[in-house]
Amino acid sequence: MSKTEQVALTASQAVDAIRNGRLSAEVYVTTLLERAEQQSGLNSMIALNKAGALAAARKVDAARASGATLPPLAGLPIVVKDNINTSDMPTTGGTPALKDVRPTANAPTLQRLIDAGAIVLGKANMHELAFGTTSTNFTSFAGTVHNPYDVRRVPGGSSGGTGAAIAARIAPAGLGTDTGGSVRIPAALCGIAGLRPTVGNGGAQRRYDGTGVLPISRTRDTIGPMGRTVADVALLDAVVTGASIAKPVQLSGLRLGVPASFWKDTETQVATVMASARTRLQSAGVVFVDIDTVGLWELDAKVSFQVVLHEAGQDIPAYLVATGVKGVTLADIAAKVASPDVKGPMGAVLGDVTAAEYQAAITQYRPQMQALYARYFADNRLDAMMFPTTSVVAPVIDSRDGSSKISVNGGPLVETFATMIRNSDPGSTTGVPGITLPAGLTATGLPVGLSLDGPMGSDAKLLGIGLSMESLLGVLPPPTLPQLPA
């Protein structure tokens, strides 16, 4: 198998090729490490796990040669966002104060993938401390992440490194984290798929173990799988959860809500791609129900930042203790923040500016949001709701502020962060699952993401819908980047 063929493999294809002997795990890892070096200008990776990845690959090849039964992900290289604990590499959070943090154990969710045979290729870059949607990181060892489809533009965030690495064919799949859209935004802008699993009220409702991750909010944070196809995301999800791999759901008769407020103020080129996708889905028998989520945005405004800014002040110090980090405090982290657009939020965390609003947010308004979502789906007999993952295409990199303002359709300047996170935030606040997959490319070649939010616990069904939509809409062509020699 040539190097060109290797980098084109999806996660599912790579696992099959290694299992049936068409591809050596060591050869594959070597090729992808070369690819990572070749595309280092994207700044998608903070660290590569060269020795560890190659050693793990050799063990997979030896196991296969011995006739042993291989685990479900044997030999699959993945990239892991650098706020997810790894025992053999630092976990920096993309921030100066945590540069030398070396956890002694892998995050449990990651460990499940490793136990299934996955190989950690390296730690992916991110928006500093996961507080942003651009992944324009001013930390010296991280740097600005570039979108493989247009290197002048952002890849989205905060899991921008994972999204860019997968899109650039550095790895077929990986892990990000999502608090308000941090898996789905970069997946959408980089033309890949991503899942935000159900979080609900934690406990039994939480689909993924959330420990071993540098946090923002215990109520909202979750790890999420990302891949070039929905099938790859479903594969990783099945391993993490121990469930069967999701199966395609019949599109004919499927009922999807179309909430107008999620579609307003959408950039024309995004709306054009989404309209085309809707037409094709309608032709396949999908029933669209044009009904809005009345009252949702008013509730979200009373919960979203009130929860995040208060809980970060508690959860980051708790993580430092649990991870065994000594000599670093929350104040130390805030004082050394390098990215201009992260200084403000961290100052608000230190000042606990939402303390007075927190109890009402968590005990009154968030339950009201959950009830609103449940009624929306049940009363209208909906399988999910559909909307553009982001209302704009990937913005141009802001090398001065990291994230400032953009104009939508020639209108007045608006905050980039608020614009990018608008559609993904309410579902995140509520704790329902969400998935994004490519709707298509704009006329200028930029990816547009299509999102589905579903009822609490409907993750497998969302993945099934995504699989069927992907079969209809197709996957995106790779970005035009320098290729490896054959």
Side-chain angles (χ1 to χ4, degrees), residues 130-210:
F131 268 108
T133 61
T134 65
S135 300
T136 302
N137 193 329
F138 286 65
T139 303
S140 60
F141 61 80
T144 294
V145 188
H146 299 263
N147 191 315
Y149 281 90
D150 183 344
V151 295
R152 301 167 301 170
R153 296 177 182 269
V154 306
S158 61
S159 309
T162 304
I166 294 170
R169 277 52 183 170
I170 291 169
L175 293 179
T177 64
D178 192 305
T179 302
S182 289
V183 160
R184 292 156 294 158
I185 293 169
L189 300 189
C190 291
I192 63 171
L195 169 71
R196 175 190 164 84
T198 293
V199 172
N201 293 322
Q205 283 189 317
R206 178 181 282 277
R207 190 169 176 88
Y208 285 22
D209 188 302

Side-chain angles (χ1 to χ4, degrees), residues 20-59:
N20 65 30
R22 290 177 54 235
L23 178 62
S24 151
E26 183 179 1
V27 167
Y28 187 39
V29 166
T30 299
T31 295
L32 294 187
L33 287 171
E34 288 179 18
R35 179 73 174 171
E37 295 282 6
Q38 185 189 43
Q39 302 299 341
S40 61
L42 292 173
N43 279 336
S44 65
M45 303 299 296
I46 285 180
L48 291 175
N49 184 31
K50 294 180 182 178
L54 287 168
R58 292 185 194 109
K59 288 182 180 178

